Amino acid sequence: MSVLIFIDQSEGHIKKASFEAAAYGSALAKQLNTTANALVLGTVSDNLAQLGNYGVSKVYQIQNDNLNHVDALVYAKVISGAVQQLNASVLVFSHNQTGKAVAPSVAIQLKAGLVTGACALPTTDNDFVVKKTVFSGKAFAYVKITSAIKVITINPNSFGMQTAEGSATIEQLTVDVPAPSVKVVATNKVSGEVPLTEADIVVSGGRGLKGPENWGIVEDLAHTLHAATACSRPVADAHWRPHHEHVGQTGVQIAPNLYIAIGISGAIQHLAGVNRSKTIVVINKDPEAPFFKAADYGIVGDAFEVVPKLTAAIKAMQN
Ligand code: FAD
């Protein structure tokens, strides 16, 4: 058995979630008494050798202009080709947008068993059983994979990023790259200062903020914390904020280290998109707001009083 970890990159930078996938894949390789290698597609400006700090021995890179943007069909073919060439038996993705789009196609092409949204290392003594979250994180399922090749996508923030001193070697790999199935005509940065899905900290506002004219306090706090901004669905539906900021069951699903919810009630559909955040802080004037049940820290108070004070206190600490 050997483990291959897919490293997702955007504009040449390794995505945060890939470091966690690398740590997970390396721990799994250790459990299987084998080595963990990584696979990266396209041109990368970040130092790939740093993946050694997450337990990766070797990084295989396939460089081709057609791989600099995610094209799920092309990626699936190229990754499947690499898995066959390298004889890998377990393939690990992050359960992020790329992983969700590509891993199922790879699994079909390799006739591999697939578990998406894993949240712990599998058992490997007798059977290969993977624990995964279901019903938007409300329950767990244990899924046995019996095929020779196994594909896993790992939930961001569910394993951690154990590091150790190390340096991975880098090797170029040649795999046939099919013609693109899509043509990228333009790329737009859609969020504020920090892309929402990559952000360590997210500051989010709900209907409690009363109107778009009041978003200054949210942006100020986000700016102070170098955070991304997000919102609840009704806020996006009312065009107070753009739709790409809407988080939840029907919006973007995120797992930052810190999620600050301001004037959001905490409906189940909202929680479905944010409940994998490591720490949740809720600011709401209603002590009975359901969000407090999911919060690590809660502030009962008027957002228009609390948030500017919080921002000022953080600014004072930073000076
Ligand atoms: P409200 O429920 O109106 O809550 C506003 C909160 O602000 C209240 O708790 C109130 O106490 C507080 N508040 C008011 N004034 C202040 C103040 N001055 N200071 C502090 N707090 C204050 N919602 C999502 O967010 N994401 C989704 O993906 C999503 N998908 C859905 C899918 C379906 C099929 C359905 C049916 C619904 C979905 N919803 C989704 C909607 C969801 O059910 C809730 O209606 C929505 O999340 C509520 O948004 P809110 O918390 O901003 O507003």
Side-chain angles (χ1 to χ4, degrees):
M1 282 225 178
S2 66
V3 176
L4 187 66
I5 303 135
F6 174 73
I7 301 299
D8 196 9
Q9 60 110 347
S10 170
E11 295 177 346
H13 299 295
I14 299 171
K15 288 193 185 168
K16 189 186 76 174
S18 288
F19 292 112
E20 191 175 13
Y24 178 88
S26 302
L28 175 55
K30 213 178 230 173
Q31 198 172 301
L32 293 166
N33 223 355
T34 184
T35 48
N37 298 320
L39 176 68
V40 64
L41 307 187
T43 309
V44 178
S45 48
D46 282 353
N47 175 17
L48 289 172
Q50 66 173 310
L51 288 162
N53 295 330
Y54 300 87
V56 171
S57 303
K58 192 182 273 184
V59 182
Y60 293 99
Q61 183 175 25
I62 304 172
Q63 294 207 56
N64 183 299
D65 285 350
N66 288 344
L67 299 175
N68 288 337
H69 296 284
V70 178
D71 178 330
L73 292 178
V74 172
Y75 266 41
K77 286 212 169 97
V78 171
I79 295 168
S80 305
V83 169
Q84 281 164 331
Q85 203 180 120
L86 299 170
N87 222 357
S89 38
V90 184
L91 180 61
V92 176
F93 289 85
S94 173
H95 192 65
N96 64 1
Q97 275 171 330
T98 309
K100 283 189 247 182
V102 177
S105 297
V106 172
I108 286 174
Q109 294 193 20
L110 295 172
K111 295 192 170 37
L114 165 75
V115 174
T116 56
C119 57
L121 286 170
T123 60
T124 49
D125 294 340
N126 295 314
D127 293 326
F128 196 99
V129 179
V130 190
K131 182 180 180 184
K132 63 165 285 178
T133 50
V134 289
F135 302 122
S136 302
K138 288 262 166 238
F140 299 112
Y142 294 83
V143 184
K144 184 159 112 182
I145 309 184
T146 54
S147 55
I149 302 178
K150 299 155 177 56
V151 180
I152 301 174
T153 69
I154 164 87
N155 278 337
N157 262 350
S158 61
F159 186 71
M161 296 204 206
Q162 294 85 344
T163 54
E165 287 279 297
S167 179
T169 55
I170 296 142
E171 189 176 315
Q172 299 300 319
L173 198 67
T174 311
V175 171
D176 280 345
V177 178
S181 66
V182 293
K183 185 176 172 200
V184 179
V185 285
T187 50
N188 283 328
K189 254 207 162 120
V190 285
S191 200
E193 296 171 38
V194 187
L196 188 49
T197 49
E198 285 295 294
D200 252 351
I201 306 177
V202 174
V203 180
S204 188
R207 210 149 44 175
L209 284 160
K210 317 283 188 238
E213 67 283 4
N214 295 325
W215 236 260
I217 56 170
V218 175
E219 284 170 342
D220 222 16
L221 178 57
H223 183 74
T224 307
L225 291 168
H226 306 291
T229 48
C231 66
S232 66
R233 178 173 161 166
V235 162
D237 284 347
H239 305 293
W240 295 359
R241 296 298 289 179
H243 261 291
H244 60 76
E245 285 196 1
H246 148 206
V247 288
Q249 186 186 314
T250 47
V252 183
Q253 298 185 2
I254 55 172
N257 282 326
L258 176 61
Y259 182 70
I260 304 178
I262 305 167
I264 302 176
S265 57
I268 190 158
Q269 297 88 355
H270 185 84
L271 290 176
V274 303
N275 60 6
R276 282 191 287 108
S277 307
K278 210 171 208 172
T279 303
I280 296 179
V281 176
V282 170
I283 302 170
N284 197 304
K285 71 174 184 186
D286 174 10
E288 301 296 323
F291 219 151
F292 283 121
K293 288 204 182 94
D296 297 285
Y297 300 95
I299 302 173
V300 179
D302 187 327
F304 298 102
E305 284 174 31
V306 173
V307 177
K309 281 186 186 160
L310 183 61
T311 307
I314 295 167
K315 278 183 182 160
M317 281 167 64
Q318 288 169 343
N319 290 329

